[in-house]
Each structure stands twice: as structure tokens, then as C-alpha cells.
Amino acid sequence: NASGDRDRSGGLRVERIVDKRKNKKGKVEYLVRWRGYGSEGDTWEPESHLSTCMVYVHDFNRQYIERQRDAMLLRSTYKKKPRPQTALQASTCGEVKGQSHFLTGLLNLKFAAFLGNSPLMEAVAASGMSGVQSAVGGASAVTGKRRLEERCAFDKRLRFSVRQTESAYRYRDIVVKKQDGFTHILLTTKSSENNTLNPEVMKEIQSAMATAASDDSKMVLLGAVGSVFCCGLDFLYFIRRLTDDRKKESIKMAETIRTFVNTFIQFRKPIVAAVNGPAVGLGAAILPLCDVVWANEKAWFQTPYTAYGQTPDACSSFTFPRIMGLASANELLLSGRKLTAQEACSKGLVSQVLWPGTFTQEVMVRIKELVTVDSLVLRESKALMRNTSRSALEQANERECESLKRVWGSSQGTDSILQYLQRRTELC
């Protein structure tokens, strides 16, 4: 009994759902992969035993339905009766083969559109179905053996696509890719603009980092999709709640930030940040808590806290003076001066500035070099550099969040945020 095992062991945690079936009584059971155990530890569990982790069940069912749909489409494609082969078709085997590849590509495109939840991808896939149908007509002349080989090749691509993207199902506002030796976390927020951070986004990042902390990843690479890295807190989300119950919502938001920042402070594996574009507010303040920061030359950095009536966050009141000196830190935190990537590098906020045209490629080359280092060496090296300041960082985080509660809980704080939202396009 899985629930009994959880009680005795002190709390097994579900990693993912692997499969499902119906038992002899017709009830659905799920094959559960337990965190920290391999496939040999998988167990079949009724849905009632998974009431506390239904998100994994829903994610699996969503993938399962789409795989069944694509499998049915594939079967119907290969069951079509072959059309009579014309002389032109007989003389153009290469064209038939190309049409078959076209079919495979469009089916993969449709599947990718579902995974990415992209309206544009769905539209492209939908418009391409006439092409699929015409390709089917041409491909029907291929021999049964060749069709079987192509079907097997498609099935392999399909399984690979599922493996590559299954982790993305757990998250709405971030993409998580488990790479060889590291976990890649990408901000791609759908619920806010310019990759801003609201409580849901922060919780998803925390969840992804918790998984990376316990698996075989040697480090985390934090980046973003698009041309913006992170524009700090989502004040539109925040202001809607502040107007209802200012004091209560101020406390909730400050506590969310405190927990989010502590996740970075307490993370024992190296964190590498790839800053592809503007980093503003919390998006910039979090960078000193990362171990390596690579920036696109087009990126810029700003902490305009006074502009929207906020005190510093993410330990920036402690880290900024420490890495760049008190005068420069005051200029950033009090006047909100904007730094170019090169200026940020000269002040110690950025480790290295990379060329925009090859930014992603250069980041991947460097990260792959880092993951060749032994994982124990990486953790111990980080501990030597970070452990002495961990307590001070946690205390700074606590002080900053208490200050935020006081500022946001005042009427002046609410007014400042509203005024900022009216002119925010000037910042990000």
C-alpha cells in the first residue's frame, strides 16, 4: 500500500506518473515513479492514493490523450488504400520520400504546438493539414516495408519529443529542460508581461530548483525566452490585491519574496544566470545571489526602487555595496541609474559580456565546459565561497522584507505603485 509506505518512510514524494491501466474491477490505477528511486521502485496506485499530488496525474493524462490522438492519426494515415500509381509517381521516388518526410514534419509540428500551447504553432499545423492529405496520397505508393520503417522512425521521434518536453507540463510560466549535467530554467511568463514575477511564477521557479537540488544536476542555468530577462515584480498583479486588503496582501507578497530569495541563498549547487536582455528590479537584484552571470551585450540593468515607492529586495542592500562599493550601490538603489552590460561587468554585477549574435551558443559552450567538473568539487567550491555569507544574506533578506511590509502597507506605498504603473513603459 503506497500510503502506508509513505507513513513509515516519513514521506515518499512522487516524481512523475509513468503509465495507467484499469484493474480487474475496472478502476483506474497509475504507475508512480517515486523521487529518489528508479524504474524498479515503480508501483501501481489507485487515484485515491494520489489526492495530494493530482497535478502529476493531470499532467500525465494531458500527455496521454495527445499521444493517443496522434497515434490514431498515424494509424488512419497508414490504413488509407493506395491510389493507382502514375508513371510520373513511379519515376519520382525521391519526391515521394520527400512527401513522407513532409508528413512526419507536420505531425511533429502539430504535436509541438500542443506541447508549447502556442496559437501560432497550432495555426501553422492546422493550415498544413491539406498538405498532409496530399502527401498521404503520394506516399501511399510506397511499399509496405518502407511504410513500416517510416512509422517506426516517427514513433521514435514522437517518444523523443515527449521526453524532451514532459517536464514543461508541470509549469505554466516557466520552461524547464533537464540537460546533460544541468537543469535549464527559462522564464517565459504567460500570465504577465516582460517576464515579471508574481507569486505563481516564483513558486514555479522554487519548485524547479527544488527538483534540481535533489536530482543528478550539477548546476542550474537560469535564463529567459525572448528579448527580456526579467522586469522584476508584477505590480499589476500586486496592485489589484493591495486595493482589497492592503496590510494582508503586503505581508503575503513580502513573505513570498522572502521565501523565493532564500531559495537562491540556500541552493547548494552553482547557479549560472544567462541575462539575454533587460534585468530590472528583482530581476537585477537576484543576480549577486547567482554564482556566474553572463550577459548579452544588449542587456541593461536597473533597480528603480524609489521610482515605484519600494525599498531594496533580494538582499541588494547587502550585496550591491559589497560587490561594487557604497557609492555605486547608492546610485543604483536610490537614484535608479541604468547600467549597460559593460558597466555592470566593470562594477562586478556581471561576470562576462557576450556577443549578441552568438549569445545562446556561447552560453551553452561555457556551461558544457562547467558540467565536466566533478559535482562534489563544484558543491564544495561554492560552499567555501558562500557559506560565510549565508547567514548575513538571510538576515538581510529578513530585514528587507519587513521594510517592504511597512512601505506597501501604507497608503503612500500604494499611490507610488499606481503612479509607477502609469509611466512604466519608460522603464521596461
Side-chain angles (χ1 to χ4, degrees):
N1 184 293
S3 58
D5 289 344
R6 286 195 290 274
D7 292 338
R8 290 194 297 273
S9 68
L12 290 178
R13 298 180 63 188
V14 173
E15 179 179 311
R16 63 189 177 95
I17 305 298
V18 179
D19 201 357
K20 75 174 181 179
R21 69 181 183 187
K22 284 188 177 181
N23 60 21
K24 294 180 180 179
K25 296 182 179 180
K27 293 185 177 181
V28 176
E29 294 179 333
Y30 292 93
L31 185 60
V32 178
R33 176 70 50 81
W34 301 100
R35 186 164 296 177
Y37 296 85
S39 57
E40 66 279 359
D42 294 352
T43 59
W44 289 98
E45 306 293 340
E47 190 170 340
S48 59
H49 288 179
L50 304 172
S51 59
T52 60
C53 49
M54 289 302 293
V55 63
Y56 298 103
V57 175
H58 295 325
D59 289 344
F60 171 80
N61 285 332
R62 188 162 47 182
Q63 298 176 50
Y64 184 83
I65 290 171
E66 184 64 17
R67 289 200 297 271
Q68 292 293 318
R69 186 185 305 163
D70 282 318
M72 289 177 63
L73 177 62
L74 188 65
R75 283 196 297 270
S76 66
T77 296
Y78 283 103
K79 285 181 180 177
K80 284 183 178 286
K81 293 183 179 180
R83 297 177 182 176
Q85 188 177 27
T86 65
L88 177 62
Q89 288 173 325
S91 63
T92 55
C93 294
E95 182 179 345
V96 170
K97 184 176 180 182
Q99 289 172 330
S100 177
H101 285 304
F102 176 65
L103 167 63
T104 298
L106 283 176
L107 289 174
N108 272 326
L109 180 61
K110 179 174 174 59
F111 187 71
F114 172 80
L115 294 179
N117 194 24
S118 168
L120 176 60
M121 292 289 283
E122 286 283 14
V124 173
S127 66
M129 289 312 294
S130 60
V132 171
Q133 291 167 356
S134 63
V136 169
S140 61
V142 183
T143 64
K145 182 177 179 181
R146 181 176 297 176
R147 283 183 293 177
L148 181 61
E149 291 173 349
E150 289 171 353
R151 178 174 179 175
C152 292
F154 173 78
D155 287 342
K156 287 180 181 179
R157 293 189 188 98
L158 192 61
R159 289 195 295 271
F160 175 78
S161 183
V162 171
R163 286 198 300 272
Q164 286 292 93
T165 56
E166 63 181 356
S167 63
Y169 273 100
R170 298 185 188 177
Y171 307 103
R172 182 184 66 171
D173 290 307
I174 63 173
V175 171
V176 179
K177 298 179 181 179
K178 181 65 189 304
Q179 306 279 19
D180 186 17
F182 68 98
T183 296
H184 196 178
I185 301 174
L186 290 148
L187 291 172
T188 174
T189 51
K190 299 174 184 176
S191 61
S192 62
E193 295 181 359
N194 293 326
N195 292 342
T196 52
L197 301 171
N198 57 43
E200 284 76 14
V201 179
M202 287 188 267
K203 286 174 184 176
E204 287 189 349
I205 295 173
Q206 288 169 231
S207 174
M209 291 182 69
T211 300
S214 59
D215 64 18
D216 59 353
S217 299
K218 293 183 178 181
M219 62 184 65
V220 162
L221 174 61
L222 181 64
V225 175
S227 59
V228 175
F229 177 69
C230 178
C231 278
L233 290 175
D234 183 358
F235 283 108
L236 275 176
Y237 174 98
F238 188 28
I239 200 68
R240 294 189 193 106
R241 285 150 183 80
L242 272 182
T243 53
D244 295 332
D245 191 332
R246 185 188 305 138
K247 185 175 181 181
K248 180 181 176 182
E249 293 302 326
S250 297
I251 293 172
K252 281 176 62 177
M253 181 63 89
E255 286 301 312
T256 300
I257 293 172
R258 184 180 66 82
T259 305
F260 175 69
V261 172
N262 275 340
T263 300
F264 283 78
I265 296 172
Q266 296 162 2
F267 197 75
R268 297 184 180 276
K269 297 177 181 180
I271 304 172
V272 177
V275 184
N276 57 308
V280 180
L282 183 57
I286 206 75
L287 296 177
L289 302 181
C290 301
D291 301 290
V292 180
V293 180
W294 295 319
N296 186 319
E297 192 174 35
K298 292 184 178 180
W300 49 268
F301 306 81
Q302 190 176 26
T303 51
Y305 293 126
T306 54
Y308 42 73
Q310 181 193 323
T311 51
D313 55 18
C315 304
S316 56
S317 63
F318 175 82
T319 56
F320 277 28
R322 190 178 183 187
I323 64 176
M324 65 182 72
L326 186 60
S328 292
N330 284 339
E331 192 175 28
L332 263 68
L333 298 174
L334 298 180
S335 69
R337 183 193 164 196
K338 185 188 293 187
L339 293 181
T340 65
Q342 293 291 353
E343 287 176 316
C345 187
S346 66
K347 291 181 180 296
L349 188 63
V350 168
S351 310
Q352 192 175 0
V353 178
L354 305 178
W355 183 250
T358 56
F359 178 71
T360 302
Q361 296 90 326
E362 290 193 53
V363 166
M364 286 304 168
V365 168
R366 286 164 170 76
I367 203 77
K368 286 176 181 177
E369 289 176 354
L370 276 175
V371 296
T372 60
V373 180
D374 181 76
S375 58
L376 179 61
V377 171
L378 289 171
R379 287 197 307 272
E380 291 294 328
S381 297
K382 174 168 179 171
L384 288 171
M385 292 183 281
R386 290 284 188 176
N387 280 356
T388 55
S389 61
R390 181 176 298 170
S391 177
L393 288 169
E394 290 173 349
Q395 291 173 18
N397 188 27
E398 190 71 34
R399 290 193 303 271
E400 289 177 350
C401 290
E402 289 300 316
S403 178
L404 289 173
K405 292 175 188 177
R406 292 191 295 271
V407 171
W408 285 337
S410 67
S411 58
Q412 296 93 329
T414 307
D415 292 341
S416 296
I417 294 174
L418 285 169
Q419 292 170 13
Y420 161 72
L421 289 174
Q422 293 173 355
R423 59 177 188 276
R424 65 177 182 160
T425 53
E426 300 172 9
L427 297 173
C428 191

